[in-house]
């Protein structure tokens, strides 16, 4: 069964606007972590933000915030005030803390920021 | 800063060749991973290693093997390359305390 689902293959956003990238996950492990990575056209994976399953507050890192809705098993990434440099692939990933150490990734969303 | 390096950014090989992809990390991480990235499929785990000489299969190990003789180095081996192994290969290492994974720049392998 697919554990991480990103239903938006591609998204467009105007510069300076906010955008939400969707991510839903499936796990029976009560302890897990959720990650978002950015992959520019150069190929490197850049860590953006992390949310632990027991964290009480939604994670924020600068212009990035994670809208964590545990009951709905969703972990959407919100990028505020989009910039042209935000154009990239974005991957949601999960690690189950009692399972294997590796990350399970979604299929990604390609974000294009338009001037 | 954690640094994960991969031996090549681009590689072109012929069907049947033995291919070595090298990954080196400089932060003394115990856990290292090899992923394969294909369009529409995200990243899929090939193998991982949690210590020297220790390895475990990931989700798509067929056609691959790995070697971890030293803590800082994790090698992915394609014993007999095939065209369906044309892909982007990403290596990562993980901080055991924060559990954050740090990725190398990737190797884009083309098998002709």
């Amino acid at each position: 069964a697919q554990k991480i689902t990103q239903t938006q293959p591609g998204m467009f956003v105007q510069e300076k606007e906010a955008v939400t990238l969707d991510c839903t996950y499936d796990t029976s492990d009560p302890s897990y972590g959720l990650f978002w990575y950015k992959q520019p056209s150069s190929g490197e994976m850049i860590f953006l933000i992390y949310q632990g399953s027991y964290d009480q507050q939604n994670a924020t890192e600068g212009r990035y915030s994670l809208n964590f809705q545990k009951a709905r098993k969703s972990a959407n990434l919100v990028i505020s005030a989009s910039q042209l440099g935000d154009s990239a692939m974005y991957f949601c990933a999960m690690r189950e803390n009692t399972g294997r150490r590796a990350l399970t990734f979604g299929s990604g969303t390609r974000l294009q920021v338009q001037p | 800063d954690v640094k994960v390096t991969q031996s090549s950014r681009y590689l072109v090989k012929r069907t049947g060749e033995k291919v070595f992809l090298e990954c080196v990390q400089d932060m003394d991480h115990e856990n290292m991973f090899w992923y394969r990235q294909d369009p529409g499929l995200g990243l899929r785990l090939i193998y991982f290693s949690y210590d020297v000489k220790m390895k475990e299969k990931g989700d798509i190990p067929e056609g691959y093997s790995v070697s971890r003789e030293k803590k800082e180095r994790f090698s992915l081996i394609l014993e007999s390359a095939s065209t369906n192994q044309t892909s982007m290969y990403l290596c990562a290492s993980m901080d055991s305390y924060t559990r954050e994974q740090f990725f190398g720049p990737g190797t884009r392998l083309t098998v002709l």
Side-chain angles (χ1 to χ4, degrees):
Chain A
Q2 191 168 7
K3 292 199 167 185
I4 296 284
T5 303
Q6 294 181 254
T7 57
Q8 306 154 314
M11 290 277 287
F12 289 91
V13 65
Q14 290 293 123
E15 199 176 4
K16 300 180 185 175
E17 291 186 352
V19 63
T20 298
L21 306 184
D22 294 341
C23 174
T24 58
Y25 60 92
D26 185 27
T27 180
S28 56
D29 191 336
S31 177
Y32 52 90
L34 296 156
F35 300 77
W36 277 93
Y37 285 86
K38 172 184 177 181
Q39 187 181 45
S41 56
S42 53
E44 75 270 28
M45 295 286 282
I46 302 167
F47 166 74
L48 294 178
I49 196 165
Y50 167 80
Q51 179 86 41
S53 58
Y54 293 120
D55 292 343
Q56 294 296 314
Q57 293 191 325
N58 287 345
T60 59
E61 289 286 347
R63 294 186 300 111
Y64 304 107
S65 60
L66 201 152
N67 184 2
F68 181 46
Q69 298 188 43
K70 196 170 182 177
R72 297 178 63 183
K73 294 190 174 178
S74 75
N76 299 338
L77 176 71
V78 181
I79 306 174
S80 62
S82 297
Q83 302 172 357
L84 295 177
D86 293 335
S87 294
M89 281 290 288
Y90 288 82
F91 291 98
C92 179
M94 177 178 68
R95 186 202 61 245
E96 295 165 322
N97 290 339
T98 56
R100 69 182 189 184
R101 297 167 180 81
L103 294 170
T104 300
F105 284 83
S107 55
T109 296
R110 181 171 296 283
L111 177 67
Q112 292 187 284
V113 181
Q114 297 176 317
Chain B
D1 264 2
V2 175
K3 190 167 262 187
V4 180
T5 58
Q6 294 182 229
S7 50
S8 306
R9 290 301 302 272
Y10 299 93
L11 210 53
V12 179
K13 295 292 182 180
R14 296 205 174 274
T15 302
E17 279 192 78
K18 190 168 186 175
V19 182
F20 292 88
L21 303 183
E22 302 278 334
C23 175
V24 177
Q25 51 95 3
D26 66 358
M27 283 300 290
D28 203 36
H29 289 167
E30 292 172 344
N31 296 283
M32 296 186 73
F33 308 84
W34 275 105
Y35 294 92
R36 169 178 171 159
Q37 182 181 3
D38 299 288
L41 297 177
L43 280 71
R44 294 177 292 167
L45 180 69
I46 305 172
Y47 266 98
F48 68 98
S49 168
Y50 49 91
D51 206 345
V52 175
K53 297 191 188 294
M54 308 301 286
K55 61 187 179 185
E56 281 195 27
K57 293 180 180 179
D59 299 318
I60 51 165
E62 297 79 19
Y64 303 95
S65 62
V66 290
S67 171
R68 184 114 181 254
E69 296 296 318
K70 292 184 178 181
K71 195 173 186 179
E72 67 271 18
R73 189 179 298 270
F74 190 34
S75 302
L76 180 69
I77 303 156
L78 287 66
E79 295 289 342
S80 177
S82 63
T83 54
N84 62 12
Q85 292 178 309
T86 291
S87 188
M88 170 73 105
Y89 291 88
L90 289 155
C91 173
S93 72
M94 185 176 80
D95 184 317
S96 297
Y97 296 101
T98 65
R99 299 191 178 179
E100 181 182 341
Q101 290 199 11
F102 299 87
F103 285 83
T107 296
R108 191 169 292 282
L109 172 68
T110 302
V111 183
L112 301 175

